[in-house]
Amino acid sequence: MKILCSDLEGTLAPEIWQEIGKEFKVPELDLTTRDIADFDKLMSTRMLALEKNKISFETLSEFLESIEPFDGAKDFLNSINSHYQIIIVSDTFYELCMPVVKKLGNFPIFCHHLKINNGFIVGYEKRQEAPKKNVVKGFQSMDFECFCIGDSYNDIQMIDQSSGAFIFAPQEIRDSRTDIINFDNYNDLRSHLLNE
């Protein structure tokens, strides 16, 4: 059985930081890896915005319960689950994503951790460098065949390591890698996966 390594944000659910930015009216939190490809620079921007706006982790946690997966995402995963083992591979954080991951069916997720002190997010701990690529390499080292899907620049590392496709990627990302197949709906992606 093959493994499907799926990105979370922008692929199966909204961008969590963008949802937080909209809810708390903080434009700096609207930025994603589509805007700032360097993850550490992006996170520095986010940490400064949280501190400046004094948004507690408890306040964030209450809001995170309201985030819903994309329409059709759960059905898509369930429809291919007998053909692929599904692993979510994301540059998000366990502390932010678990409510929406549970709504998707609680598939295993590999992501990062936030550092929380006195009720506020004060930093983060990356699981490793090039985490998406290294997850795929780990599965390949155990003789698993992977297919990877995502919507952004940081997903290219895992698609290049194996095989894969863009889904819901903006045009500039599609244009940057015209060799990667792309889809704009789950039905066409499902058909492709079941014929792989």
Side-chain angles (χ1 to χ4, degrees), residues 173-188:
I173 294 175
R174 293 178 184 204
D175 290 345
S176 75
R177 287 297 302 273
T178 55
D179 58 314
I180 297 175
I181 190 170
N182 63 77
F183 298 94
D184 56 16
N185 65 76
Y186 293 123
N187 288 336
D188 291 345

Side-chain angles (χ1 to χ4, degrees), residues 28 53 74 76 91 110 116 127 134 147 158 169 191 195:
E28 299 92 332
N53 291 278
K74 184 175 182 179
F76 162 69
D91 273 332
F110 294 92
I116 299 166
R127 191 170 37 77
N134 283 315
F147 191 92
M158 67 177 177
S191 296
N195 289 315

Side-chain angles (χ1 to χ4, degrees), residues 2 11 17 24 52 72 87 91 105 111 117-118 126 128 137 149 160 166:
K2 296 177 184 177
T11 300
W17 287 104
F24 296 99
K52 177 179 153 189
I87 306 291
D91 273 332
C111 59
N117 189 20
N118 294 323
K126 287 169 74 172
Q128 64 186 145
K137 283 175 78 172
I149 59 171
D160 280 347
F166 288 136

